[in-house]
Amino acid sequence: MRVSHRTTVLAASSLVLTLSLAATPAFATTAPASAPTMTAKAAPDAESLRAAIASLPDADATVALVRVGGTDGSWRGNAGVHDLASGRAADPDARFRAGSTTKVVTAAAVLELAAQGRIDLDTPIQHYLPDLLTPAFEPISVRQLLNHTSGIRAGDGWGDSFEDQYAHRFDTITPERVVRSAVAKGPEFCPGRKQDYLNINYTILGLLIEKVTGHSYASEATRLVLRPAGMRDTYFPGTDPGIHGPHNHGYQTVKRPDGTTEFVDVTEWNQADRWAAGDMISTTADLERLLTSLFRGRIVPGPQLEEMFTVPAGIKGATYSAGLQRFEYQGRVYWLKSGARYGYSAVLGGTRDLSRTLVYSVGSTDAKGEDMNPVAQRIALAALR
């Protein structure tokens, strides 16, 4: 196995960087993809949102499902196809691979267990999982795992390229194996000195949840977060490569030897190695429920909820909190989480007061690329302007 984490880091931060640097975008002028629902005086820009997705499917994405909400007003839209073979319209209620938005659920579960007194955020993970790390590692607190300042290196996957990973899409790497490969490399830096967004932190938090509760991560995340938020269409597939229930197909563009492009169907894929860091399957409606329930304090109590709105102090360039990422755009502070698996790209985010929220799933044809998907970029800029 070879390590494959740099594109994950870049994809997770691409939305923040794009929105921070972008000028007013140019929008398409094609007909609207779907009829919106709008309310309130300061409603979202419906024309720009319709234009952002009107061209689908195209070379960048096959489908887009969008929900803009909040007290400022709301808009719902979808465009694209269920699959390229049939060309039939996309299912607006479809399930999809939610990628690293899973980390929001994992962080919320850990914080709720902290509120119950079962986890102390300042206690080293070595206390809870004494056989996990080697003596080469200094004490690493649970909080440092939550905000990616642990210094633990990335675990190994099936390889760096799409071709390497696609060849093993039905094979399983267990979370324990991922952790062992990370630990074997030794620490990257002293805990609390830097911030490096990596899946390994949340893989270990999944093990922590199982250790303190005595139950599986999936059952505890469902009990502590999904059920309280009303997320009835969200689940954790484990080693199952399929997506149960209504779903749109995901595709990855691959260059053929003759220079032409092929769209490879990547809908079925065993995501077990992503586990508590990124294997959740969800819907845009459920991710919106998660966002609003969390921000209203219905899942995690106030004192612990502050961890989700606190970026570690004294670390240059730090933007990640417990489960979320902070950024400012046009005078507003947003808290978001992006996620990407091959064929699928997702975001949930909003202002803390829920005046504006955004959830989308885009059938990105290069979801693990280093640059933000152009369709996703148009959606975000239109939704948050």
Side-chain angles (χ1 to χ4, degrees):
M1 295 188 296
R2 295 197 300 273
V3 63
S4 177
H5 74 278
R6 185 52 51 194
T7 54
T8 302
V9 176
L10 291 167
S13 60
S14 61
L15 177 62
V16 173
L17 180 60
T18 299
L19 290 175
S20 298
L21 300 179
T24 302
F27 293 100
T29 57
T30 50
S34 60
T37 300
M38 296 177 58
T39 61
K41 181 178 179 181
D45 186 339
E47 181 180 356
S48 294
L49 283 162
R50 287 195 297 267
I53 61 176
S55 64
L56 300 186
D58 62 18
D60 298 312
T62 56
V63 61
L65 314 176
V66 185
R67 301 175 72 90
V68 182
T71 55
D72 286 350
S74 63
W75 186 89
R76 305 285 184 266
N78 61 276
V81 295
H82 169 269
D83 65 280
L84 291 175
S86 72
R88 63 187 175 93
D91 185 341
D93 302 315
R95 291 174 173 171
F96 52 84
R97 299 198 186 280
S100 285
T101 64
T102 308
K103 292 182 177 69
V104 180
V105 172
T106 302
V110 170
L111 293 173
E112 173 56 23
L113 290 170
Q116 296 174 9
R118 304 177 73 178
I119 291 175
D120 184 340
L121 301 184
D122 293 315
T123 296
I125 190 65
Q126 289 95 327
H127 169 79
Y128 297 103
L129 299 166
D131 299 324
L132 185 75
L133 303 179
T134 66
F137 291 85
E138 296 181 15
I140 297 169
S141 72
V142 174
R143 180 178 284 105
Q144 288 166 336
L145 292 167
L146 284 166
N147 63 26
H148 300 280
T149 61
S150 70
I152 302 174
R153 297 179 188 272
D156 288 343
W158 289 119
D160 294 323
S161 71
F162 167 76
E163 290 75 16
D164 288 341
Q165 296 180 55
Y166 184 74
H168 292 281
R169 67 192 182 280
F170 297 124
D171 298 331
T172 297
I173 301 178
T174 65
E176 292 81 4
R177 182 177 174 185
V178 172
V179 173
R180 286 196 299 271
S181 69
V183 171
K185 300 171 186 177
E188 178 187 4
F189 54 83
C190 295
R193 298 285 182 87
K194 295 170 57 179
Q195 187 174 73
D196 190 5
Y197 174 90
L198 293 174
N199 285 334
I200 191 64
N201 295 297
Y202 278 68
T203 301
I204 292 173
L205 289 172
L207 296 175
L208 171 64
I209 290 169
E210 293 194 336
K211 180 63 178 292
V212 300
T213 65
H215 301 112
S216 72
Y217 164 79
S219 64
E220 287 301 298
T222 300
R223 179 181 69 87
L224 294 168
V225 183
L226 303 192
R227 287 176 187 164
M231 300 170 69
R232 298 180 182 86
D233 292 312
T234 300
Y235 72 99
F236 305 95
T239 59
D240 187 343
I243 301 177
H244 296 176
H247 61 277
N248 301 311
H249 286 231
Y251 297 87
Q252 170 71 18
T253 54
V254 176
K255 286 293 182 72
R256 299 188 182 101
D258 62 3
T260 59
T261 299
E262 176 184 7
F263 290 84
V264 177
D265 192 319
V266 292
T267 308
E268 293 193 347
W269 201 301
N270 180 344
Q271 306 285 331
D273 62 317
R274 304 296 164 171
W275 197 45
D279 84 334
M280 185 170 72
I281 289 173
S282 192
T283 66
T284 54
D286 269 7
L287 291 184
E288 188 176 63
R289 292 184 184 103
L290 172 62
L291 180 71
T292 55
S293 296
L294 267 176
F295 285 23
R296 288 172 177 162
R298 294 174 179 171
I299 299 175
V300 178
Q304 287 73 32
L305 185 60
E306 283 300 315
E307 299 288 337
M308 304 193 85
F309 302 108
T310 303
V311 173
I315 299 178
K316 184 179 180 180
T319 61
Y320 291 95
S321 62
L324 297 172
Q325 186 174 13
R326 181 189 187 278
F327 75 97
E328 294 186 39
Y329 183 63
Q330 295 194 347
R332 275 179 162 173
V333 174
Y334 293 89
W335 296 89
L336 66 84
K337 189 69 197 76
S338 61
R341 301 305 307 139
Y342 284 114
Y344 302 91
S345 178
V347 156
L348 79 160
T351 57
R352 186 170 180 177
D353 65 0
L354 295 174
S355 57
R356 177 59 52 86
T357 64
L358 169 63
V359 174
Y360 67 66
S361 170
V362 171
S364 172
T365 59
D366 189 20
K368 301 303 289 182
E370 295 185 1
D371 297 324
M372 186 175 183
N373 178 271
V375 176
Q377 178 180 334
R378 295 198 301 266
I379 293 168
L381 290 170
L384 305 181
R385 61 191 301 178

